[in-house]
Amino acid sequence: MNIAKNRGGSNMESICVMQGDGIGKEIIKEAIKYIKKMCEIYNKNIELKKAYIGGEAIDKFNTPLPEESLNIIRGCKAVLLGAVGGYKWDNVEAEKRPEQGLLRLRKELNCYANLRPINIYDELKELSPLKERILKNNIDILIVRELTGGIYFGERGRFEVDGKIKAFDVEEYYDYEIKRICKIAFEYARKRRKKITLVDKANVLESSKLFREIAKEMALKYEDVKLEFMYVDNASMQIIKNPSYFDVILTNNIFGDILSDEASVLTGSIGILPSSSIGDVNIYEPIHGSAPDIQGQNKANPIGMIICSALMLEECFDFKNAFRMTNEIIKKILKSNYKTIDLKDKEEDIVVKTSEFGDLVINYLNNINLNDN
Ligand code: NAD
């Protein structure tokens, strides 16, 4: 294991680590501890290269995503990102805000597919707002959201007609953008329970109709995967009423944005959910923000960040079973009632700090035998 700033010329595989702001710094520390230990266990060498994004990049380079950072990323196989934003930068001009760095990063790396797995740990079921009878069915959803097209990137503006002001935002998709996100959904569905629900508004929107046509055509090549359709209004109800119905949810940028936040609430805490964005270089980041209300207090839940790291090691660096193994470790820790403060629910819960939770993961890893996995 070798942690170094970008030195160029190295043949070693690298991860670009962008801690960002607020609790990003605290949870990334735990991810680095975890990655170091995993490299030891799997006998692999990976170089970690730090790069700046968000508020800390504004302070140092006067921009939320400096060229220096993009240059570092170009030599890396994946990006591991904490979170960006904070009170300090709330009033800077719109295009220089920390979050703009994140949007530009996704665009620059062509990260067109955002994957968000939604699972509920048995050990945390009581924190979920869902009723017990709904929770007793296995909830295991993968949301595949198109990330670089649609209404967030379409033409927008305002004009005046007959003294009235009109504003517009255009939802637009090229066929190639739809094809590539459909392919991701079908490939993932194949590795899971082989069902895709395409969520759209095809009763009204032309772009949704094109989504359906392309998905139907692709389904002919994936005969083992069942493709079905659901309007977004119905889907937003079914995610609450019957979440175990879903396997892969495939959807456009704006519907995915809203539905994935809705689904994340089912799990009990925003701190436990990972996400990955697939592109020229994949980005792995927890779904939460920089949580300025708890920053610097060693209170943040590092589970989402550690699970992101596991996904990254497995998908980009061939650490076999890293995700399943790490998930099992997290379950064991939660079962022993060790929890960060956001997960405290019962009398017997033992509240641990961010760094202590990270240490517990390392303790379990110290006793792992890869042959058992
Ligand atoms: P947030 O996700 O940062 O926080 C929402 C609530 O959840 C807060 O009460 C926070 O304490 C809690 N929380 C979040 N992550 C937690 C964790 N790991 N452990 C325990 N509790 C956790 O959302 P917000 O408050 O709306 O935004 C704060 C800042 O983060 C803003 O500047 C916003 O723009 C930015 N943001 C960044 C990202 C990102 O980097 N991907 C995403 C969302 C928001």
Side-chain angles (χ1 to χ4, degrees), residues 87-125:
Y87 307 135
K88 183 176 175 191
W89 307 279
D90 274 353
N91 296 319
V92 300
E93 52 194 292
E95 62 282 12
K96 272 202 184 161
R97 281 182 62 100
E99 296 77 6
Q100 287 302 319
L102 203 52
L103 294 182
R104 187 168 160 228
L105 181 70
R106 291 171 182 160
K107 197 76 184 166
E108 287 284 339
L109 302 184
N110 197 22
C111 284
Y112 61 87
N114 181 243
L115 309 183
R116 194 178 283 192
I118 309 284
N119 302 96
I120 301 185
Y121 289 110
D122 282 345
E123 296 72 17
L124 298 180
K125 278 188 168 166

Side-chain angles (χ1 to χ4, degrees), residues 291-304:
D293 54 335
I294 57 165
Q295 75 174 65
Q297 299 172 40
N298 204 6
K299 268 186 181 175
N301 188 331
I303 295 179

Side-chain angles (χ1 to χ4, degrees), residues 230-243 246 259 262:
M230 192 180 282
Y231 296 135
V232 64
D233 19 11
N234 185 19
S236 61
M237 288 192 288
Q238 297 307 325
I239 283 174
I240 303 290
K241 281 175 71 179
N242 192 10
F246 296 100
L259 291 182
E262 183 196 8

Side-chain angles (χ1 to χ4, degrees), residues 23 83-86 99 102 270-271 285 288-294 300-301 342:
I23 61 165
V84 299
E99 296 77 6
L102 203 52
I270 193 170
E285 54 180 324
H288 59 76
S290 59
D293 54 335
I294 57 165
N301 188 331
D342 56 309

Side-chain angles (χ1 to χ4, degrees), residues 43-81:
N43 196 21
K44 298 217 189 209
N45 267 327
I46 298 179
E47 190 171 9
L48 301 189
K49 298 176 176 175
K50 178 180 163 72
Y52 288 84
I53 190 166
E56 68 161 16
I58 296 173
D59 288 351
K60 198 170 161 67
F61 298 96
N62 199 28
T63 165
L65 184 65
E67 276 309 309
E68 283 83 346
S69 293
L70 288 170
N71 288 337
I72 292 170
I73 291 168
R74 286 188 187 109
C76 294
K77 252 189 138 175
V79 174
L80 190 66
L81 197 149

Side-chain angles (χ1 to χ4, degrees), residues 67-345:
E67 276 309 309
E68 283 83 346
S69 293
L70 288 170
N71 288 337
I72 292 170
I73 291 168
R74 286 188 187 109
C76 294
K77 252 189 138 175
V79 174
L80 190 66
L81 197 149
V84 299
Y87 307 135
K88 183 176 175 191
W89 307 279
D90 274 353
N91 296 319
V92 300
E93 52 194 292
E95 62 282 12
K96 272 202 184 161
R97 281 182 62 100
E99 296 77 6
Q100 287 302 319
L102 203 52
L103 294 182
R104 187 168 160 228
L105 181 70
R106 291 171 182 160
K107 197 76 184 166
E108 287 284 339
L109 302 184
N110 197 22
C111 284
Y112 61 87
N114 181 243
L115 309 183
R116 194 178 283 192
I118 309 284
N119 302 96
I120 301 185
Y121 289 110
D122 282 345
E123 296 72 17
L124 298 180
K125 278 188 168 166
E126 282 165 32
L127 285 173
S128 172
L130 292 180
K131 290 203 165 97
E132 210 182 319
R133 73 179 157 75
I134 298 175
L135 283 170
K136 74 177 189 304
N137 302 316
N138 187 31
I139 297 169
D140 178 13
I141 307 173
L142 178 69
I143 299 182
V144 178
R145 166 190 169 195
E146 202 291 323
L147 199 62
T148 52
I151 199 163
Y152 294 163
F153 292 90
E155 206 184 327
R156 67 175 58 102
R158 287 180 187 209
F159 55 90
E160 208 181 306
V161 201
D162 301 333
K164 299 182 194 84
I165 295 172
K166 188 167 180 175
F168 66 96
D169 302 270
V170 179
E171 165 81 354
E172 53 189 7
Y173 272 109
Y174 283 104
D175 56 355
Y176 77 89
E177 293 176 303
I178 300 175
K179 273 183 199 155
R180 64 187 183 183
I181 191 75
C182 285
K183 190 163 189 305
I184 294 272
F186 276 99
E187 290 294 331
Y188 272 89
R190 208 166 232 183
K191 292 185 224 147
R192 293 169 49 94
R193 300 195 308 284
K194 300 183 173 49
K195 183 167 101 169
I196 296 177
T197 307
L198 172 58
V199 172
D200 61 24
K201 196 73 187 165
N203 47 347
V204 183
L205 303 177
E206 196 56 36
S207 53
S208 288
K209 285 181 198 155
L210 187 59
F211 245 101
R212 280 199 185 194
E213 283 164 31
I214 290 172
K216 269 188 202 164
E217 201 182 312
M218 197 168 287
L220 300 174
K221 292 195 204 122
Y222 291 84
E223 284 176 354
D224 51 329
V225 177
K226 184 176 172 222
L227 171 69
E228 57 171 38
F229 308 100
M230 192 180 282
Y231 296 135
V232 64
D233 19 11
N234 185 19
S236 61
M237 288 192 288
Q238 297 307 325
I239 283 174
I240 303 290
K241 281 175 71 179
N242 192 10
S244 58
Y245 174 82
F246 296 100
D247 176 13
V248 172
I249 292 179
L250 163 64
T251 192
N252 69 4
N253 200 345
I254 187 168
F255 297 156
D257 188 7
I258 299 163
L259 291 182
S260 56
D261 268 22
E262 183 196 8
S264 68
V265 171
L266 309 182
T267 63
S269 170
I270 193 170
I272 64 176
L273 286 171
S275 86
S276 55
S277 301
I278 310 291
D280 298 342
V281 180
N282 293 358
I283 305 171
Y284 293 83
E285 54 180 324
I287 70 156
H288 59 76
S290 59
D293 54 335
I294 57 165
Q295 75 174 65
Q297 299 172 40
N298 204 6
K299 268 186 181 175
N301 188 331
I303 295 179
M305 187 80 250
I306 291 173
I307 294 289
C308 278
S309 311
L311 281 170
M312 177 192 66
L313 291 179
E314 182 162 335
E315 292 176 358
C316 301
F317 299 92
D318 202 27
F319 283 54
K320 293 212 165 39
N321 287 328
F323 173 69
R324 193 169 55 82
M325 184 179 84
T326 308
N327 220 18
E328 286 307 315
I329 288 176
I330 303 277
K331 282 185 194 170
K332 282 183 189 155
I333 296 172
L334 296 174
K335 210 174 186 133
S336 317
N337 296 323
Y338 288 106
K339 296 181 181 160
T340 43
I341 186 82
D342 56 309
L343 302 179
K344 180 166 169 51
D345 179 45

